[in-house]
Amino acid sequence: RRVRARAGQTIGGFGDPLWDAGLALANQGDIDTQCITGAIGTGTHGSGIRLTSLSGTLRACRLVTATGDVVAVDETTPDLLAAAQVSVGMLGVMTEVEIEVAAAYRLAERIEHWSFAEAVEQLDERVAAHRHFSMFWCPTERSPGLYGLEMEPGRPSADHCFVKLYDEVGDDVPDSGVPRRRVDRSYRIYPSVFEPNFHELEYFVPYARAREALAAMRELMLASQPDAVFPLEVRTVRADEGWLSSQHGTDTLVLSVSGQPGTDYWPYLRSVDRLLGEGFGARVHWGKLHFLEPEQLHARYPRAQDFIDLRRRLDPGGVFLNDHLRPLFA
């Protein structure tokens, strides 16, 4: 169950060809327009405590280094593979990947409306019981509309959650045709469409501290109005071994918060960084906003120095660094 793809293949482009071969991506996020190498390089993920990010499925790749050399990475080069799984493009141009996939599967989607208290109380049970669990906690009545979330009519939105539950179903289960209860091929269920009306920060805390982190974020966001008006997205990801992975060695709870373009949202996002970074040792999403500093990198990513040493060997001139990456990885 392995498949090879070129760098420019989009996540969505895997759907039909894999399905025709009886296969599917084991997991994916709600955006399927990214190229596979960019998704792997930044640790892009879906949700599910038993499922890794896309980076965790990488089993081999082809790198072209700054000198034009071609490097084959696979399980016979374990250090290179662990570094390449989340490399943010710093090791070279990844021109081809080999990823592990799953047998084709169909999903049933259920959308539910819970209070925050219900969500926290049921968190461990629901995370364990469902293939995918995720939710959006809405701090205000206005919040759902900012992400296009259709809450249940006649029920409050403030301090309530838009909950998504996905489970595998057999071919004999038809699509119900009922809103909030879809059934379809996996790759048709995952994608969602968002208006590009927000800038996002996404931090990862050890799942063992999930409830504590959720309570702390709720308190901070309620105290940060009106800046904290966007929903808080909550997901889970399984541990893996990528050196720069947000899940290196630990299952994680993923917390995503947004700033509204045209407003000075930086003080709010910095307060989130202080809370989750200093209070929970949070790791960052490499493809989104973050405030990670070199000392924090080494404290939160045990293999950071190993990655830097390997990067220097492959790219001693820093061709693949930029102003964002140089302070952390030069």
Side-chain angles (χ1 to χ4, degrees), residues 31-85:
I31 297 173
D32 66 356
T33 55
Q34 296 163 288
C35 293
I36 186 61
T37 47
I40 288 172
T42 55
T44 292
H45 60 90
S47 190
I49 204 68
R50 296 182 294 276
L51 300 162
T52 69
S53 69
L54 284 167
S55 306
T57 69
L58 183 70
R59 298 293 177 264
C61 65
R62 183 177 183 268
L63 285 173
V64 181
T65 69
T67 59
D69 295 324
V70 176
V71 178
V73 180
D74 58 29
E75 286 151 311
T76 68
T77 58
D79 283 357
L80 267 173
L81 181 58
Q85 283 180 320

Side-chain angles (χ1 to χ4, degrees), residues 139-162:
T140 73
E141 291 294 325
R142 175 188 168 203
S143 301
L146 296 172
Y147 277 172
L149 306 176
E150 295 184 11
M151 304 291 275
E152 289 184 17
R155 296 192 61 186
S157 295
D159 207 21
H160 282 70
C161 303
F162 180 94

